[in-house]
């Protein structure tokens, strides 16, 4: 038995156990791009991390520190984690305070955080980090007078996923949690074999790898021919042909193409921009999203590409063999993946045409 496990066991069996600290983490990395775009559009700073950390307790005016992370004070309740002997999996309920409706806005624009991971951590106060005791008039050294910090002395983490939103009011939000075994839209194996549909994430370095200019929308609208402001306008806005790859496409800015905070500028017809999720740890969630301006405007903050479809069209792949051909048939020779230099010219189509049934002639 390790020293940390022994410390935890002694505290559990103590006649006068220390206060039990309950901490919660919400991992929204699967929605990281959505959250970052919401922050850009609303001027709300959601931070750089893809994990929200909360604790129902308060440490003066500071967060609770545990295992090197700060858990912000917020009224939060959870129940139903107990396991029963009848074989049923627990479905805990999580309630979070909704100050000024802020969390309603965040959750509503992000599919109610469905399938996001919730982790409940529990430990005793005597094992908390020494950072909790710094900057006190009576304890400038930061020593923990209640015990010794031990980041490994804790109960096993309870990991669940948000299944659905149960209640929403001006005071709180309530969610139902499920285990990974009950998670919706989960498959084993995780990659489904399909003959006519590509499973690769568009523009991701893994699998697809497309780094070219916009081609078409998910509805098949051609983005290469240019656009007019209206049916009566003969002038066409063409995308910049001097740009060769997605790396050269400028990042969208709420101040415009070449503007600044002191001198904002708008976007013109045919301008291309990209939005990249910069903080997600998931490579499939940090791929660039590319947009083409279809209506000139002077106030970019009012027409965010992610939300305003009247001013921007997004370059998306229809996930078919024909769509893949539009993007990867430009090379003279269609060659397979080269392991030696990790280059891959030709089609990246992620479907499996060989799974089709073909009639056998007798």
């Amino acid at each position: 038995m390790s020293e940390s496990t022994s410390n935890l066991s002694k505290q559990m069996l103590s006649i006068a156990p220390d206060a039990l600290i309950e901490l919660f983490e919400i991992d929204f990395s699967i929605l990281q791009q959505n959250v970052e775009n919401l922050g850009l559009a609303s001027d709300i700073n959601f931070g750089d991390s893809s994990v929200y950390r909360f604790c129902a307790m308060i440490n003066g005016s500071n967060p609770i520190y545990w295992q090197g992370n700060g858990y912000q004070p917020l009224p939060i309740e959870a129940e139903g984690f107990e396991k029963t002997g009848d074989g049923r999996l627990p479905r805990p309920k999580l309630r979070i305070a909704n100050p000024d409706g802020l969390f309603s806005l965040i959750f509503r624009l992000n599919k109610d955080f469905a399938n996001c991971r919730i982790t409940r951590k529990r430990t005793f106060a005597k094992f908390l980090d020494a950072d909790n005791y710094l900057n006190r008039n009576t304890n400038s050294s930061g020593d923990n007078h209640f015990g010794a910090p031990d980041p490994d002395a804790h109960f096993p983490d309870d990991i669940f996923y948000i299944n659905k939103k149960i209640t929403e009011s001006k005071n709180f939000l309530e969610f139902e949690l499920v285990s990974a075994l009950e998670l919706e839209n989960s498959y084993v194996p995780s990659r489904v074999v399909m003959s006519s549909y590509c499973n690769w994430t568009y523009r991701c370095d893994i699998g697809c790898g497309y780094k070219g200019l916009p081609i078409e929308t998910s509805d098949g609208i051609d983005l290469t021919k240019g656009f007019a402001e209206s049916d009566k306008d003969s002038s066409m806005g063409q995308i910049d042909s001097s740009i060769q790859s997605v790396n050269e496409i400028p990042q969208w800015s709420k101040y415009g193409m070449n503007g600044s905070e002191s001198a904002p500028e708008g976007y013109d017809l045919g301008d291309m921009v990209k939005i990249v999720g910069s903080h997600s740890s998931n490579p499939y969630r940090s791929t660039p999203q590319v947009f083409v301006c279809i209506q000139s405007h002077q106030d970019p903050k009012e027409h965010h590409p992610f939300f305003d479809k009247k001013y921007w069209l997004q370059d998306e792949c229809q996930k078919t063999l024909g769509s893949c051909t539009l993007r990867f048939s430009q090379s003279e020779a269609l060659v397979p993946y080269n392991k030696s230099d990790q280059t891959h010219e030709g089609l990246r189509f992620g479907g499996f045409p060989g799974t089709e049934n073909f009639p056998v002639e007798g």
Side-chain angles (χ1 to χ4, degrees), residues 202 215-219 223 290 314-318 327:
Y202 184 44
I215 298 294
E216 61 181 350
T217 68
S218 60
D219 298 328
L223 298 176
V290 179
Q314 183 174 1
D315 172 46
E316 296 179 281
C317 183
Q318 297 190 63
R327 292 163 172 81

Side-chain angles (χ1 to χ4, degrees), residues 80-101:
F81 286 90
E82 298 79 12
K83 297 178 175 62
T84 61
D86 58 6
R88 290 183 298 173
L89 294 172
R91 286 198 168 193
K93 291 181 173 58
L94 181 72
R95 285 179 289 275
I96 303 176
N98 190 23
D100 299 324

Side-chain angles (χ1 to χ4, degrees), residues 240-293:
D240 189 351
S241 58
S242 65
I243 295 179
Q244 299 298 314
S245 73
V246 68
N247 296 329
E248 300 175 23
I249 297 177
Q251 183 87 0
W252 178 83
S253 169
K254 59 185 177 183
Y255 305 122
M257 181 70 75
N258 300 306
S260 62
E261 185 174 4
S262 59
E265 295 183 7
Y267 284 97
D268 296 325
L269 192 66
D271 282 347
M272 292 181 293
V273 296
K274 66 183 177 185
I275 297 176
V276 183
S278 56
H279 302 302
S280 176
S281 58
N282 187 333
Y284 298 101
R285 304 294 174 180
S286 57
T287 58
Q289 299 177 90
V290 179
F291 300 84
V292 177
C293 180

Side-chain angles (χ1 to χ4, degrees), residues 77-264:
E77 293 180 343
E79 61 181 18
F81 286 90
E82 298 79 12
K83 297 178 175 62
T84 61
D86 58 6
R88 290 183 298 173
L89 294 172
R91 286 198 168 193
K93 291 181 173 58
L94 181 72
R95 285 179 289 275
I96 303 176
N98 190 23
D100 299 324
L102 174 62
F103 284 101
S104 288
L105 176 64
I106 297 173
F107 283 96
R108 193 177 300 121
L109 292 176
N110 290 279
K111 303 177 182 179
D112 291 337
F113 272 30
N115 293 354
C116 286
R117 186 172 66 180
I118 303 291
T119 303
R120 182 178 73 153
K121 295 176 175 288
R122 293 179 299 161
T123 188
F124 290 101
K126 66 186 305 178
F127 301 133
L128 291 175
D129 294 359
D131 289 348
N132 292 284
Y133 307 96
L134 291 172
N135 300 322
R136 299 293 187 271
N137 294 331
T138 59
N139 187 19
S140 59
S141 64
D143 295 333
N144 183 352
H145 296 318
F146 305 100
D150 189 345
D152 297 319
H154 59 86
F155 292 90
D157 291 347
D158 293 313
I159 299 176
F160 286 82
Y161 296 83
I162 293 179
N163 183 43
K164 61 182 178 181
K165 181 174 64 179
I166 300 175
T167 305
E168 179 179 357
S169 70
K170 63 180 181 180
N171 298 318
F172 69 92
L173 293 164
E174 183 176 21
F175 299 90
E176 179 186 66
L177 311 182
V178 295
S179 72
L181 298 176
E182 295 185 282
L183 195 62
E184 289 187 10
N185 301 322
S186 295
Y187 301 94
V188 177
S190 58
R191 188 178 182 199
V192 180
V193 175
M194 303 182 72
S195 62
S196 58
Y197 185 84
C198 179
N199 290 285
W200 294 125
T201 298
Y202 184 44
R203 290 188 179 274
C204 182
D205 290 335
I206 302 174
C208 176
Y210 180 67
K211 300 184 182 299
L213 300 184
I215 298 294
E216 61 181 350
T217 68
S218 60
D219 298 328
I221 299 176
D222 192 341
L223 298 176
T224 64
K225 294 181 179 179
F227 300 91
E229 293 279 7
S230 66
D231 295 337
K232 299 180 181 179
D233 191 353
S234 59
S235 62
M236 299 291 287
Q238 300 285 345
I239 62 176
D240 189 351
S241 58
S242 65
I243 295 179
Q244 299 298 314
S245 73
V246 68
N247 296 329
E248 300 175 23
I249 297 177
Q251 183 87 0
W252 178 83
S253 169
K254 59 185 177 183
Y255 305 122
M257 181 70 75
N258 300 306
S260 62
E261 185 174 4
S262 59

